[in-house]
Amino acid sequence: MLISAGIHYPRATPNMWPDLIAKSKEGGADVIQTYVFWSGHEPQRGQYNFEGRYDLVKFVKLVGASGLYLHLRIGPYVCAEWNFGGFPVWLRDIPGIVFRTDNEPFKEEMKRFVKKIVDVMREESLFSWQGGPIIMLQIENEYGNIEDSYGQKGKDYVKWAAKMAVGLGAGVPWVMCQQTDAPEYIIDACNGYYCDGFKPNSNKKPVLWTENWDGWYTTWGGRLPHRPVEDLAFAVARFYQRGGSFQNYYMFFGGTNFGRTSGGPNYVTSYDYDAPIDEYGLLSQPKWGHLKELHAAIKLCEPALVAAESAQYIKLGSMQEAHVYRGGNTSICSAFLANIDEHKSSTVQFLGQSYTLPPWSVSILPDCKTSVFNTAKVGTQTSIKVVDFEATSSAESSGPEHLMIQKQVPLVSESWMALKEPIGVWGGDNFTVQGILEHLNVTKDQTDYLWYITRVYVSDEDIAHWKENTITPLLKIDSMRDVVHIFINGQLIGSAKGDWVEVVQQVQLKQGYNDLMLFSETVGLQNYGAFIEKDGAGFKGNITLTGFKNGDVNLTYSPWTYQVGLKGEFQKLYATDSDESSDWTNLTHDEVPSILSWYKTYFDSPGGKDPVVLDMSSMGKGQAWVNGHHIGRYWTLVAPQDGCQETCDYRGAYNSDKCQTNCGKPTQIWYHVPRSWLNPSDNLLVLFEETGGNPFEISVKTVSVGTVCAHVSEDYYPPVETWSHLNRETEPIMELQCEDGYIIASIEFASYGTPQGTCQVFSVGNCHAPTSSSVLSKACEGKNSCKIEVSNSVFGDPCPRTVKTLAVEAKCEPLSSSWYAGLSEM
Ligand code: GAL
């Protein structure tokens, strides 16, 4: 029985890996699961890259060294919201290639790469039979979803891929997910929000859940997904209840799509995924902690689960059921009691005892008697993160005035340099051909950007015709993706975005020759679906100008001049060793906003160890680099006003539209700058801004847990890890913990009795123990973490015969600054 945590190594830096792995292990994971990212490992055909964030061997060794197993999903198609689904874009250019089907050129390339990875792993002795952590591999990814599009060739491809993979001699099992026709020697596995009841295509195969989507990904201009942990825990408990043996959280840590690695259409730079470990590597609470308890409870049942041939099924009610696992001739017995009613709680009788099950929940009974955990009862703390200027700054400041100034000026810099990107042709390598070329055929995805430039002649008669009939000519593009900015005679006249959408734009033309320039952009290449190699980018169909005297002017077959990329990209303006003689000028406040501009400045790192972000909310759309590291695309697109519920009800089947947040706000404003990319001072920040923004307002901030809250009832379970057959009398415990290097500086709220509300809006109810605050302060203040028994013996009984709860809100502060504050009071 295995619990697995999905972490994609290139979505973090090697410096972050040990902590992410450790936090997964502490959260109860036995296995780390990752895809292998072909496009990162073979950026040019035959030139392999296993360095930095792509140091797969190092990642696998770290997993092994921490005592965890590894599930390596080689793909090499991976989907994963990764650019082009993980395929290197050069693969499109192999003559005669059709991806993911019975096609010789494709199979040859796929085999070469998969073999390369297996060989590297074997040479480094990383398979389990060699003493390494790799216990399982994966070939392809959810091919079953699109197999029909390829007819018989699709079926043949599945057989070929399976045989090819197994033939590489890795010596560990191979998995195919969402592949009902997987051959007998490959394990077919389930992906989804729920996989209980999933049956592999043979009863000789174990029941694997390769992707449990514990959140979801985000698009520019979209809301933020949130999957409540009560539902997630329910799904996991149901899976093991009904005979599952391996479950992986997709993602346990989502991380960041650095550079131009994010897929499409239109996926944002953050890949936080609402995962138990957030984008920056901080715990997302209560998700992480509640799952940790769940894992501990499931592990208590493991002896019975693995000993029993199968579960005994007992119907407890119309929507309530038990699965009982008994070890053959031993006395071990474990049970799961489920209430799948989405609305009502239910009291059921089980083996002579009565149990109350909240709606949409599972209770876990490791001894078939004691319920040690229920998926819907969350006792773990909630953490509220603050994104602010350097939290430790108060430690270094000389007094309150200084502190005030710091609070008002968290700007990354007050002095900026600027440089204009040329509009249109800038370099000698432009070329002119008849007709509209497909965007990726020209850029090879070496850049997001491609200029399409043509000339249109407007006669006196056209002008007169427009005046007489009050016509404004229209530019019509049949189909376009992902973004286009339209320029006439050097002026930006309009923009459009979308995934193969029609564009209609009014244009003002002058008599004589007019330059029409289309600035075409990709924002992450398609990563899902059949035939992604044929999808391409840029424009499809016709480009026409309507309303001319002699009818429409079809520009589709006109001569077009192509200019790939930006001059600034070509000059590597973002590099730390970039040529200082470039024409940078000092930026003044009245020069902003402006389009197609490069900006640069230098900034000092915030002190301390907290994760660092740039707040880019003052900017439009573009890309950013810190010390030459591409931190990703940014885009301040705002999510729709509607579609977020006031309260998130965990009950009932989850989908990614449920419980969304961030309505009416920009989808992403914070951009992660990993600590290992920063120097203490003089960090070079370079931006390319397309649509116009104000760099003077960019700020550098740190992310930390500012507030922790918990709400635990006196009839809650004692901590799962303290449970044993011998000792069942322990009281429930409330635990509060700040991040490393932080202490609980103050108790903002504490009430043992009948407190109301949720974190940050708690209030005292009718019943309240006057001792609440003093008990909490004494036990917690000045400490990194504290534990309090939730019982009358600690607080006194403020209202006999009432079930009491303890609600607490505490403030976390960096150790150094509180220490400083303490000093100044003396
Ligand atoms: C799955 C796919 C994953 C990922 C996920 C959504 O279908 O296998 O790679 O794309 O969807 O996050």
Side-chain angles (χ1 to χ4, degrees):
M1 281 193 46
L2 296 167
I3 288 162
S4 170
I7 298 176
H8 296 155
Y9 51 96
R11 285 178 158 139
T13 55
N15 282 54
M16 294 168 71
W17 293 343
D19 184 52
L20 299 174
I21 296 166
K23 283 173 171 160
S24 303
K25 183 176 182 181
E26 203 194 327
D30 309 296
V31 182
I32 301 291
Q33 184 205 66
T34 183
Y35 281 128
V36 175
F37 296 86
W38 189 357
S39 55
H41 290 299
E42 201 180 349
Q44 265 100 50
R45 188 161 182 270
Q47 288 177 28
Y48 294 103
N49 168 29
F50 288 94
E51 301 291 307
R53 286 184 293 126
Y54 293 96
D55 193 342
L56 175 59
V57 168
K58 181 175 190 176
F59 182 75
V60 178
K61 286 186 176 167
L62 283 170
V63 170
S66 73
L68 297 182
Y69 297 121
L70 189 90
H71 179 204
L72 192 66
R73 305 169 88 197
I74 303 180
Y77 167 74
V78 297
C79 196
E81 290 70 70
W82 193 264
N83 196 50
F84 213 34
F87 286 132
V89 177
W90 54 256
L91 200 63
R92 296 165 85 242
D93 293 332
I94 305 263
I97 202 160
V98 186
F99 292 4
R100 305 178 73 197
T101 188
D102 185 14
N103 167 277
E104 288 309 321
F106 178 76
K107 291 193 301 188
E108 196 176 302
E109 293 300 311
M110 171 163 164
K111 181 175 177 181
R112 188 175 53 76
F113 181 71
V114 176
K115 182 174 178 332
K116 170 83 187 174
I117 296 298
V118 169
D119 289 349
V120 169
M121 295 300 119
R122 196 180 25 231
E123 279 153 25
E124 297 281 348
S125 295
L126 296 174
F127 290 110
S128 55
W129 54 271
Q130 301 173 298
I134 305 175
I135 52 166
M136 232 168 25
L137 296 163
Q138 178 178 300
I139 193 74
E140 251 296 341
N141 189 74
E142 296 192 333
Y143 187 69
N145 293 2
I146 55 151
E147 189 170 335
D148 283 351
S149 317
Y150 297 92
Q152 183 57 41
K153 277 179 178 286
K155 297 194 173 69
D156 294 344
Y157 167 67
V158 171
K159 293 199 189 98
W160 169 82
K163 217 171 149 194
M164 181 274 287
V166 170
L168 297 174
V172 298
W174 287 83
V175 172
M176 280 182 159
C177 57
Q178 302 284 82
Q179 196 69 56
T180 49
D181 60 352
E184 68 277 13
Y185 50 87
I186 299 270
I187 307 167
D188 60 319
C190 180
N191 292 347
Y193 292 115
Y194 306 90
C195 280
D196 57 291
F198 167 75
K199 293 225 173 356
N201 62 9
S202 148
N203 60 13
K204 297 199 181 88
K205 298 180 185 179
V207 181
L208 312 187
W209 185 0
T210 31
E211 291 179 25
N212 177 1
W213 303 322
D214 49 17
W216 200 242
Y217 56 84
T218 313
T219 49
W220 297 113
R223 310 169 189 94
L224 301 184
H226 170 60
R227 184 174 184 190
V229 71
E230 295 93 332
D231 169 65
L232 177 59
F234 172 74
V236 174
R238 289 289 287 158
F239 178 71
Y240 290 103
Q241 168 167 19
R242 300 182 64 189
S245 57
F246 169 102
Q247 180 266 152
N248 171 70
Y249 293 98
Y250 187 102
M251 306 295 305
F252 205 70
F253 162 82
T256 310
N257 297 308
F258 296 113
R260 299 189 306 112
T261 61
S262 73
N266 265 315
Y267 301 148
V268 304
T269 294
S270 167
Y271 199 62
D272 181 86
Y273 218 87
D274 195 37
I277 303 177
D278 76 8
E279 173 174 7
Y280 315 110
L282 302 175
L283 300 184
S284 216
Q285 293 283 41
K287 211 168 220 179
W288 182 87
H290 190 57
L291 295 177
K292 178 181 171 160
E293 293 270 297
L294 166 69
H295 302 150
I298 292 170
K299 284 295 158 114
L300 290 174
C301 304
E302 187 172 3
L305 285 164
V306 297
E309 273 300 318
S310 61
Q312 179 197 357
Y313 175 83
I314 304 176
K315 199 164 169 62
L316 302 172
S318 59
M319 281 187 270
Q320 295 75 32
E321 61 184 23
H323 287 74
V324 187
Y325 291 85
R326 280 198 182 83
N329 41 20
T330 67
S331 61
I332 50 172
C333 179
S334 294
F336 294 78
L337 313 187
N339 178 14
I340 58 176
D341 190 320
E342 295 180 19
H343 306 289
K344 295 193 293 291
S345 68
S346 169
T347 300
V348 298
Q349 299 300 315
F350 174 71
L351 303 181
Q353 275 195 52
S354 107
Y355 298 85
T356 299
L357 308 173
W360 200 252
S361 80
V362 176
S363 281
I364 299 177
L365 286 56
D367 60 354
C368 283
K369 287 193 202 83
T370 323
S371 171
V372 299
F373 181 84
N374 177 280
T375 55
K377 293 188 181 173
V378 180
T380 309
Q381 74 178 29
T382 296
S383 308
I384 311 278
K385 313 251 167 78
V386 286
V387 180
D388 210 341
F389 69 97
E390 185 179 353
T392 47
S393 60
S394 51
E396 289 134 30
S397 62
S398 53
E401 300 94 324
H402 189 135
L403 206 107
M404 288 300 292
I405 293 165
Q406 289 236 5
K407 269 197 196 265
Q408 281 161 5
V409 195
L411 298 178
V412 68
S413 172
E414 282 172 64
S415 68
W416 282 84
M417 309 274 273
L419 199 159
K420 285 253 170 253
E421 173 67 27
I423 293 171
V425 167
W426 54 261
D429 60 349
N430 72 82
F431 61 92
T432 304
V433 294
Q434 210 108 22
I436 310 287
L437 300 178
E438 189 273 306
H439 182 116
L440 293 178
N441 275 343
V442 185
T443 62
K444 307 294 179 197
D445 199 36
Q446 297 296 307
T447 168
D448 279 357
Y449 306 107
L450 176 61
W451 285 102
Y452 290 72
I453 303 162
T454 194
R455 225 162 224 205
V456 186
Y457 185 75
V458 172
S459 67
D460 290 342
E461 289 89 62
D462 290 320
I463 302 271
H465 173 70
W466 296 337
K467 270 204 182 122
E468 270 162 39
N469 302 291
T470 55
I471 290 175
T472 313
L474 298 176
L475 171 72
K476 280 194 178 168
I477 300 171
D478 281 355
S479 189
M480 183 281 313
R481 78 174 292 177
D482 296 310
V483 169
V484 63
H485 298 302
I486 302 164
F487 293 80
I488 297 277
N489 301 321
Q491 294 298 310
L492 177 67
I493 60 154
S495 302
K497 62 180 166 55
D499 181 14
W500 296 126
V501 289
E502 190 193 13
V503 180
V504 180
Q505 172 69 46
Q506 290 199 337
V507 288
Q508 302 282 354
L509 300 168
K510 60 173 203 242
Q511 198 272 311
Y513 284 104
N514 291 265
D515 286 330
L516 168 65
M517 306 198 265
L518 304 177
F519 190 48
S520 170
E521 302 174 14
T522 52
V523 191
L525 305 190
Q526 189 72 25
N527 61 259
Y528 183 76
F531 303 108
I532 56 170
E533 72 277 23
K534 298 205 167 71
D535 199 41
F539 310 109
K540 271 185 191 168
N542 289 316
I543 300 185
T544 32
L545 282 169
T546 66
F548 279 59
K549 175 111 195 301
N550 299 326
D552 294 353
V553 180
N554 189 342
L555 301 173
T556 319
Y557 305 101
S558 301
W560 287 84
T561 298
Y562 293 85
Q563 174 78 62
V564 176
L566 308 171
K567 186 177 181 193
E569 286 178 303
F570 177 77
Q571 293 176 315
K572 295 200 167 60
L573 292 180
Y574 47 80
T576 41
D577 56 358
S578 158
D579 183 3
E580 284 299 317
S581 68
S582 306
D583 306 322
W584 291 100
T585 56
N586 281 325
L587 181 68
T588 60
H589 282 265
D590 45 299
E591 282 173 273
V592 290
S594 75
I595 61 160
L596 303 197
S597 302
W598 291 87
Y599 298 112
K600 80 164 174 181
T601 192
Y602 293 88
F603 68 99
D604 294 344
S605 289
K609 289 187 178 141
D610 292 332
V612 176
V613 295
L614 289 175
D615 181 336
M616 304 284 287
S617 52
S618 65
M619 302 305 289
K621 176 181 184 299
Q623 298 180 26
W625 292 260
V626 172
N627 294 329
H629 298 278
H630 195 329
I631 64 166
R633 298 188 186 93
Y634 65 83
W635 197 354
T636 315
L637 267 191
V638 176
Q641 282 291 344
D642 62 320
C644 295
Q645 297 81 25
E646 284 253 314
T647 54
C648 163
D649 187 347
Y650 77 89
R651 297 173 297 177
Y654 177 77
N655 65 65
S656 61
D657 292 335
K658 210 178 149 182
C659 294
Q660 292 187 108
T661 62
N662 210 49
C663 284
K665 296 187 192 141
T667 305
Q668 185 174 0
I669 58 173
W670 297 313
Y671 294 83
H672 185 204
V673 186
R675 278 278 177 190
S676 58
W677 292 353
L678 288 167
N679 307 316
S681 59
D682 293 326
N683 296 288
L684 171 65
L685 169 60
V686 176
L687 316 175
F688 172 64
E689 168 61 48
E690 296 164 20
T691 61
N694 187 354
F696 286 109
E697 284 171 23
I698 296 174
S699 50
V700 59
K701 293 177 175 170
T702 56
V703 187
S704 60
V705 173
T707 296
V708 291
C709 292
H711 197 171
V712 179
S713 166
E714 61 171 333
D715 67 2
Y716 190 71
Y717 316 99
V720 177
E721 60 274 18
T722 64
W723 185 84
S724 77
H725 292 260
L726 305 171
N727 175 13
R728 290 175 205 162
E729 300 310 314
T730 342
E731 301 291 342
I733 303 251
M734 158 177 290
E735 186 173 359
L736 294 174
Q737 179 155 32
C738 298
E739 289 283 318
D740 276 355
Y742 280 76
I743 52 158
I744 297 167
S746 57
I747 299 294
E748 304 286 299
F749 179 92
S751 178
Y752 179 73
T754 55
Q756 309 292 308
T758 54
C759 188
Q760 292 185 308
V761 285
F762 283 130
S763 60
V764 170
N766 290 335
C767 162
H768 170 75
T771 53
S772 306
S773 283
S774 58
V775 169
L776 261 296
S777 297
K778 205 163 150 232
C780 300
E781 279 175 7
K783 297 186 184 147
N784 171 258
S785 69
C786 60
K787 291 181 185 180
I788 300 270
E789 209 178 273
V790 183
S791 73
N792 291 336
S793 57
V794 173
F795 294 95
D797 190 348
C799 44
R801 285 173 307 282
T802 304
V803 177
K804 286 152 292 279
T805 63
L806 172 62
V808 179
E809 176 181 330
K811 231 195 172 105
C812 296
E813 270 178 23
L815 192 53
S816 51
S817 83
S818 321
W819 175 80
Y820 175 83
L823 260 193
S824 64
E825 274 160 27
M826 283 160 59

